[in-house]
Amino acid sequence: MFLPNEYEFSCFVKINSGTRALEHLPHELDALNARKPLIVAGKDVSKEGHVRKLMSAFRDSGMTIGVCDDISGPFDAPLIEAITNLYRNKDHDSIVAVGSGSIVDVAKVLNVSVSYGGRTLRELAGKNGIPNPLDPFIFVPTAGGDGYETSRYAEIEDMKFSSDFLMPDLVVIDPRMVTSRDTRIIVATAMTALAHAVEAYTSPAKNHITDIYAHAAIKYVAEYLIPVVRHPADRDGSCALANAACMAGCVVSDMTMGMAHILGETIGAMFGITPGICMGIVLPYTVAHRALHFGARTADLILPLAGFDDCAKISPSLSDAVAVTMMIDLQHELNGQTHGGIPRTLEEADVPPYMLQDIAERCITDDLPGYTYSDYLTVVKQAWEGSPAMNG
Amino acid sequence: MHLPGYYEFSARVKVVSGHRVLEKIPAELRKLGASKPFIVTDNGVSSAGLLEIVTDSIRSGVTIGAVADDIPQDSDVCIINDLAGIFRERGCDSLIALGGGSVIDTAKGINIVISENTYDLMKFSGAGRLKRALKPLIAVPTTAGTGSETTMVAVIADHERQRKMLFVSYFLVPDVAVLDSRMTLSLPPAMTAATAMDALCHAVEAYTCLAKNPMSDICALEAIELISRNLLHVVNNPGDKDGRLALANAATLAGMAFSNSMVGMVHALGHSVGSVCGVPHGMAMSVLLPYGLEYNMHKVSHFIAELLFPLAGSEIFARTPKHLRAERVVTIIRKLNQDLHDATGGRHARFFGEVLDRHGAHMVEKEKIPDIARTALGDGALFYNPEDLDYDDMLMVMEGAWEGVPLKRNLIKSG
Amino acid sequence: MVSYREVKPGGKPFKRAYVAVMLWFVGRAVQAAARVDRAVAREFDDLPDSFTFCLGVEPRGPFMVVGKSKKGRVKYLGWNPAGKEIDLAMRIQNMEAAILLFTFQENNALSACRNRITVDGDIPAACAMMRVIDIVEVYLLPKMIARLAIKRYPSWSFRRKYLGRIRIYFRSVLGY
Ligand SMILES: [Fe+2]
């Protein structure tokens, strides 16, 4: 079994997940010593009635809450400044972000801005630029997301923030908020989580605690993605997938971000495909490649992917290959369930074959050490054809 | 995966683990804005030379404000107030708790008194009374068992008014848990066995009791695997540094599991055996664990069966037919107790009848069993046990655990 | 450029009324059970005299208070804990949690597991009160529902269960 020699890790995130989770909010805010939260939500989310559901959770609580629920782009510094002024003038002491993706970046950077009066955002950006805890920050996810919501990162304009204190204190996953009818969004979010978790779980920088979060995320996706794609109204399953996104976000870091992430982002940006979908396509091939050439701990994936019974049946010498096959099977199953809506290969995703070299080149500019042009090219070729590299 | 309709999980403590990580404490303190720690520990720890290792490792990085190395096992409000006085006098700004559960709880108590600037600690007892972040607290566990470095609770006694008060708050979670193999390297084999069995109980009960959730389940599984793969080897080879570190990690993971999912009847009875007869916690846990599993078997055999995987490995799991797995788990735990008994020259007890004090007398006298059963009826861990226990049930379990005979399954009531 | 409004969310009057009625009934039933059932009487005997127990919904009620008089007689003391010295408080964290509890979708133990009930006070007393409430539930509810509400359905004599049930219902409604 895996014994890391020396490590340090922390994750401040608490999660409340399941039936009536929203109604725990007033009590949780109180425990964090917050009296007057500011709710931050995007226009799209409030149109769907999510903000209304959140507000009704505060009934009978006696709390007064502030609401900014029609935030729309551009998500830039002036926007942050405007909300900061509101936050200060109205004496708020905590932030509740509803939604996913960039609205969470807004909330995180808002939290930096309200806590550091004298300094500009630009001074605070950069690696570990935020030395002290911020105000209580609660995140209520809705369907979708970029996988960074619960991470230690935030981005506004060209400023990148990175600090453990940016992570939400609490994530409230309520079935009323996280169900979605759009299978493409469901798959993209879940596959982003799976890719991040698999890379963390097989990374040499892993440790016992990151394993917990990564293991959970993989297990949630392996067990619940297909059922939810089949029945998008499945409340338990939708919560499980939201948990996966949350847990994977907790272990996203520079150390664990791997090939699937880079390839997914790059291909997504080049061809206008949702990055999560691309990550799903390339993930099995990157895993196979890394098992073969980088000694990644692919065999470890069997337990979270397959559960006790199947894991116990698989001979250790085959577990690398089985893990890869299981992930390819998942992709095929998704393709079948959506009647071809989710592509299995880069070819099916309409990536032209003559662009594969280009993709590999662009991946290199993202400075992830260790992987060369030929590594990326091999993997994209395999992902285009749908045939992984296997031992023997 | 068992997905409950609702659950909560948090593991807020920062874990720093390794063979030479005490040296990181000054940097961690600096990150927390502190530079003058107050070190609290107990006699046993300082006489084992651990305090010296810690002070030597951090001296070059921080000014040690003060050291209190005589926290008693049953520390209480008075002691906490005295220590808080020293903290203020010396102008300390943070705490390092070096030791087991009672030292860490005492440090948490001092922290409340200091940070809330009060003399009446008891005003803050209960859930959620603390309303602000406390001073930085770094926990350095020396037993690899209790897992209290991960919890958001503190239990503090008030001897004058004869009560124990519970403090619950996010702010009570230590900021950092430093797991350094040097801190447990000199732990004697019998203590190693007992404390590791305590951790095993935390993991097993968290996995099988009512408040289980997918996250705590994974923590528990990992803890169980680490313990079952390393415990016997470490007891036989006390100098095994990697094994020691693995056990320390297991205790912390088990702490994360039970601080979210709580414990059940094994702890309810174990606490009473401790308070009525003074049996060390870990020893009571080793004895009671198989009985707790037997008692709850008809309710949660499917969860117990899954534990065979981390306990025995995938091969034995695959070879054991499904309906026999849960029973096999009980057998393996009994066998582990037997092996530890042999490896420690009989010091690790298999049943209460062989728990002896320093003078060779029974620690648990048979006549005390009714007392133990009655006390256990008032233990909060019962809320989380899958099956109900009344007075007669407690008696039955205790009598089995005293004699060392498995429970008669037909006598376990189900309704 | 950013719209802002301040909201003071209202209440949930219907749920509140339902929970208030249930609490009122539970309070009176505990009082009745203490006089009818030996096991309940024994639990109360072990508690100190003038012990007061409060069960209710945070933060604004409704509540119910049951207490022992100085002579050891168990009495329902009404819906208002204000001004009373409470030894043991079980607080249901919010109205929805109370609804889940009083519509038997979640039992006491599960509710505690899910951090929807918190206990403030002496733990042994809390264990005793949990047992009392379990017994009262067996009396008040049909077996099918009571089985959901407690961990282990007891095997009582016909006399204890049915006669006791009639007496407790009768006393709860009339309040003596
Ligand atoms: Fe324990």
Side-chain angles (χ1 to χ4, degrees):
Chain A
M1 108 168 284
F2 175 68
L3 285 174
N5 215 352
E6 188 174 316
Y7 73 87
E8 52 180 89
F9 182 77
S10 67
C11 172
F12 294 129
V13 179
K14 181 189 184 200
I15 71 151
N16 289 5
S17 168
T19 324
R20 301 278 176 272
L22 284 180
E23 272 76 10
H24 286 236
L25 259 174
H27 172 64
E28 292 283 1
L29 281 164
D30 185 62
L32 291 163
N33 199 25
R35 299 278 168 285
K36 200 176 172 194
L38 176 67
I39 296 177
V40 178
K43 220 177 200 149
D44 43 339
V45 167
S46 40
K47 255 195 217 135
E48 285 174 48
H50 288 315
V51 174
R52 208 177 14 131
K53 288 178 219 159
L54 178 67
M55 307 276 275
S56 88
F58 282 90
R59 281 199 199 165
D60 252 337
S61 70
M63 268 184 179
T64 306
I65 44 189
V67 187
C68 288
D69 64 351
D70 70 340
I71 297 172
S72 53
F75 302 116
D76 52 7
L79 174 73
I80 302 285
E81 201 187 311
I83 312 178
T84 304
N85 290 334
L86 280 171
Y87 186 96
R88 292 217 181 101
N89 295 338
K90 305 286 180 182
D91 283 324
H92 286 289
D93 56 12
S94 50
I95 300 168
V96 179
V98 190
S100 55
S102 33
I103 197 72
V104 183
D105 284 299
V106 171
K108 283 174 170 173
V109 180
L110 171 67
N111 203 6
V112 176
S113 159
V114 298
S115 306
Y116 287 92
R119 298 167 64 184
T120 65
L121 287 176
R122 208 157 285 283
E123 284 167 358
L124 294 156
K127 214 169 177 208
N128 297 320
I130 299 150
N132 293 313
L134 309 174
D135 277 354
F137 166 40
I138 291 170
F139 166 47
V140 183
T142 57
D146 55 11
Y148 284 100
E149 287 85 355
T150 54
S151 73
R152 63 200 304 280
Y153 303 106
E155 202 178 332
I156 285 284
E157 293 178 358
D158 58 340
M159 293 176 282
K160 289 190 172 137
F161 299 83
S162 153
S163 159
D164 282 345
F165 299 120
L166 286 173
M167 294 169 105
D169 296 281
L170 176 69
V171 179
V172 180
I173 297 172
D174 191 299
R176 290 166 283 178
M177 309 294 271
V178 294
T179 44
S180 161
R181 252 165 287 143
D182 188 336
T183 44
R184 210 176 158 84
I185 289 184
I186 296 171
V187 173
T189 317
M191 287 319 243
T192 307
L194 184 66
H196 287 166
V198 163
E199 300 197 316
Y201 203 62
T202 53
S203 146
K206 74 182 205 148
N207 62 58
H208 293 305
I209 319 286
T210 55
D211 269 7
I212 300 297
Y213 292 88
H215 186 144
I218 298 169
K219 206 164 155 180
Y220 282 124
V221 173
E223 217 162 294
Y224 288 99
L225 178 55
I226 298 292
V228 173
V229 168
R230 220 177 269 154
H231 306 287
D234 176 352
R235 294 158 65 93
D236 283 350
S238 302
C239 276
L241 293 182
N243 269 279
C246 166
M247 299 309 168
C250 291
V251 290
V252 163
S253 83
D254 305 333
M255 306 284 285
T256 59
M257 217 93 84
M259 287 179 95
H261 175 85
I262 302 283
L263 277 166
E265 297 265 330
T266 310
I267 300 171
M270 284 172 75
F271 303 98
I273 314 168
T274 321
I277 300 286
C278 302
M279 281 182 218
I281 298 174
V282 298
L283 180 63
Y285 309 96
T286 61
V287 168
H289 185 79
R290 287 172 57 231
L292 213 51
H293 301 288
F294 293 85
R297 310 185 55 87
T298 313
D300 292 1
L301 290 170
I302 299 284
L303 182 59
L305 278 176
F308 299 115
D309 275 294
D310 291 334
C311 174
K313 281 182 213 142
I314 295 160
S315 136
S317 60
L318 292 177
S319 40
D320 277 0
V322 174
V324 172
T325 315
M326 285 189 72
M327 284 186 283
I328 292 178
D329 281 352
L330 175 63
Q331 204 65 27
H332 280 250
E333 176 85 31
L334 288 172
N335 182 268
Q337 288 296 338
T338 56
H339 309 290
I342 304 295
R344 288 167 294 187
T345 59
L346 290 180
E347 184 184 13
E348 286 180 355
D350 293 331
V351 172
Y354 52 83
M355 291 294 279
L356 299 185
Q357 280 97 338
D358 260 25
I359 296 174
E361 247 163 57
R362 290 218 199 170
C363 285
I364 291 300
T365 55
D366 276 304
D367 48 351
L368 183 74
Y371 301 114
T372 60
Y373 169 77
S374 78
D375 285 326
Y376 283 114
L377 187 60
T378 318
V379 171
V380 282
K381 272 186 178 161
Q382 289 161 348
W384 196 84
E385 289 166 3
S387 60
M390 294 270 197
N391 235 342
Chain B
M1 163 169 27
H2 172 74
L3 187 71
Y6 177 80
Y7 68 91
E8 301 184 355
F9 179 85
S10 74
R12 287 174 75 94
V13 69
K14 175 173 188 180
V15 180
V16 179
S17 156
H19 295 306
R20 295 193 69 82
V21 288
L22 292 170
E23 284 76 359
K24 289 191 173 181
I25 291 177
E28 291 298 333
L29 283 172
R30 234 171 293 133
K31 274 184 222 162
L32 293 161
S35 58
K36 200 172 176 193
F38 181 15
I39 303 181
V40 288
T41 185
D42 61 32
N43 266 324
V45 171
S46 61
S47 62
L50 301 180
L51 178 59
E52 213 181 310
I53 301 178
V54 173
T55 49
D56 286 351
S57 310
I58 67 175
R59 186 164 288 137
S60 59
V62 289
T63 327
I64 296 170
V67 178
D69 63 355
D70 51 357
I71 311 286
Q73 266 306 310
D74 57 342
S75 146
D76 81 335
V77 187
C78 293
I79 295 170
I80 285 171
N81 275 331
D82 290 350
L83 292 173
I86 299 178
F87 186 106
R88 289 195 187 102
E89 219 169 84
R90 302 284 179 83
C92 301
D93 58 9
S94 52
L95 285 144
I96 297 177
L98 174 65
S102 68
V103 168
I104 293 177
D105 279 359
T106 305
K108 286 177 178 176
I110 300 171
N111 209 351
I112 298 172
V113 172
I114 295 290
S115 307
E116 294 287 347
N117 203 8
T118 175
Y119 285 94
D120 186 10
L121 178 58
M122 289 306 167
K123 223 167 53 189
F124 296 93
S125 77
R129 294 282 163 78
L130 297 173
K131 294 298 182 203
R132 69 188 91 176
L134 307 180
K135 298 275 182 216
L137 167 61
I138 294 188
V140 186
T142 55
T143 55
T146 63
S148 34
E149 66 274 12
T150 63
T151 65
M152 55 187 268
V153 299
V155 183
I156 292 162
D158 183 349
H159 288 149
E160 244 168 63
R161 277 180 274 183
Q162 291 205 336
R163 50 182 191 168
K164 271 187 175 175
M165 300 304 280
L166 191 67
F167 297 75
V168 188
S169 165
Y170 291 138
F171 302 118
L172 283 175
V173 183
D175 296 283
V176 185
V178 177
L179 313 178
D180 190 303
S181 55
R182 284 171 290 175
M183 292 294 100
T184 48
L185 210 53
S186 57
L187 203 64
M191 283 275 277
T192 307
T195 49
M197 288 303 283
D198 183 23
L200 185 68
C201 272
H202 295 156
V204 169
E205 290 213 280
Y207 198 87
T208 54
C209 287
L210 291 178
K212 77 193 242 95
N213 72 55
M215 294 302 292
S216 69
D217 282 355
I218 296 172
C219 294
L221 291 172
E222 189 145 345
I224 295 171
E225 185 171 347
L226 284 168
I227 293 169
S228 72
R229 294 218 181 169
N230 290 286
L231 176 54
L232 208 54
H233 188 262
V234 170
V235 168
N236 284 319
N237 309 276
D240 173 7
K241 277 168 57 178
D242 286 335
R244 291 283 187 190
L245 193 58
L247 290 181
N249 271 280
T252 300
L253 288 164
M256 289 173 173
F258 92 86
S259 57
N260 286 286
S261 293
M262 317 309 277
V263 284
M265 62 176 283
V266 174
H267 270 79
L269 275 166
H271 292 150
S272 330
V273 176
S275 68
V276 175
C277 304
V279 175
H281 181 66
M283 196 174 280
M285 291 298 102
S286 326
V287 171
L288 285 164
L289 180 56
Y291 294 92
L293 291 175
E294 283 177 333
Y295 186 86
N296 288 325
M297 185 67 80
H298 62 284
K299 278 270 169 90
V300 288
S301 61
H302 51 302
F303 296 144
I304 298 176
E306 289 170 351
L307 297 179
L308 187 61
F309 192 94
L311 265 178
S314 62
E315 256 176 65
I316 292 180
F317 184 86
R319 256 192 280 129
T320 313
K322 223 172 184 161
H323 64 285
L324 298 179
R325 283 177 187 159
E327 294 296 340
R328 184 106 193 233
V329 166
V330 181
T331 319
I332 287 178
I333 290 174
R334 284 221 163 86
K335 167 105 182 353
L336 180 60
N337 270 335
Q338 178 65 47
D339 291 344
L340 292 170
H341 179 80
D342 298 339
T344 56
R347 244 164 291 175
H348 183 81
R350 295 159 299 177
F351 46 90
F352 285 127
E354 67 177 8
V355 178
L356 305 176
D357 64 10
R358 236 173 285 156
H359 314 290
H362 283 304
M363 272 187 108
V364 186
E365 290 159 69
K366 249 191 146 170
E367 308 81 75
K368 292 271 181 66
I369 289 182
D371 256 6
I372 295 171
R374 240 185 315 273
T375 314
L377 283 178
D379 196 288
L382 289 182
F383 290 151
Y384 307 100
N385 198 61
E387 183 59 288
D388 227 349
L389 284 99
D390 58 25
Y391 176 70
D392 295 331
D393 299 324
M394 298 278 187
L395 279 188
M396 175 183 67
V397 175
M398 271 311 292
E399 273 156 16
W402 202 91
E403 305 282 354
V405 289
L407 295 183
K408 294 196 187 64
R409 301 302 165 80
N410 55 342
L411 295 182
I412 299 171
K413 286 174 271 180
S414 58
Chain C
M1 110 187 217
V2 183
S3 85
Y4 173 89
R5 61 185 195 279
E6 218 170 71
V7 186
K8 215 168 166 59
K12 299 182 174 179
F14 293 107
K15 288 178 175 169
R16 208 182 157 81
Y18 174 77
V19 173
V21 171
M22 292 300 273
L23 279 170
W24 174 83
F25 200 79
V26 170
R28 307 247 289 198
V30 169
Q31 169 186 311
R35 282 156 210 187
V36 171
D37 188 87
R38 291 263 313 275
V40 174
R42 229 178 297 134
E43 295 288 1
F44 273 105
D45 284 346
D46 290 343
L47 294 169
D49 283 341
S50 63
F51 171 86
T52 319
F53 164 65
C54 165
L55 172 68
V57 188
E58 286 285 285
R60 296 198 293 187
F63 299 95
M64 71 103 186
V65 187
V66 170
K68 265 173 87 174
S69 68
K70 283 207 182 79
K71 286 184 205 135
R73 214 171 148 70
V74 177
K75 211 163 158 28
Y76 171 67
L77 299 176
W79 56 272
N80 191 1
K84 299 187 178 83
E85 190 160 326
I86 304 291
D87 296 285
L88 173 69
M90 285 195 201
R91 306 173 203 280
I92 304 169
Q93 284 313 329
N94 55 65
M95 191 54 78
E96 290 304 319
I99 290 290
L100 290 173
L101 192 68
F102 287 115
T103 53
F104 311 105
Q105 297 177 61
E106 270 179 16
N107 62 28
N108 293 336
L110 208 54
S111 203
C113 286
R114 297 179 172 184
N115 280 350
R116 308 215 216 246
I117 297 186
T118 55
V119 174
D120 207 344
D122 197 33
I123 300 295
C127 293
M129 288 317 296
M130 280 291 208
R131 284 193 290 272
V132 167
I133 290 175
D134 279 358
I135 294 174
V136 168
E137 278 174 326
V138 174
Y139 276 124
L140 296 185
L141 303 173
K143 187 166 180 178
M144 233 173 64
I145 296 176
R147 283 191 100 119
L148 301 176
I150 61 175
K151 287 183 194 167
R152 181 168 72 182
Y153 197 83
S155 49
W156 285 353
S157 66
F158 178 85
R159 220 184 118 78
R160 181 175 180 192
K161 188 161 151 190
Y162 293 100
L163 238 57
R165 177 174 293 171
I166 293 166
R167 290 171 68 195
I168 286 176
Y169 260 110
F170 204 61
R171 279 169 174 265
S172 306
V173 174
L174 297 178
Y176 70 95

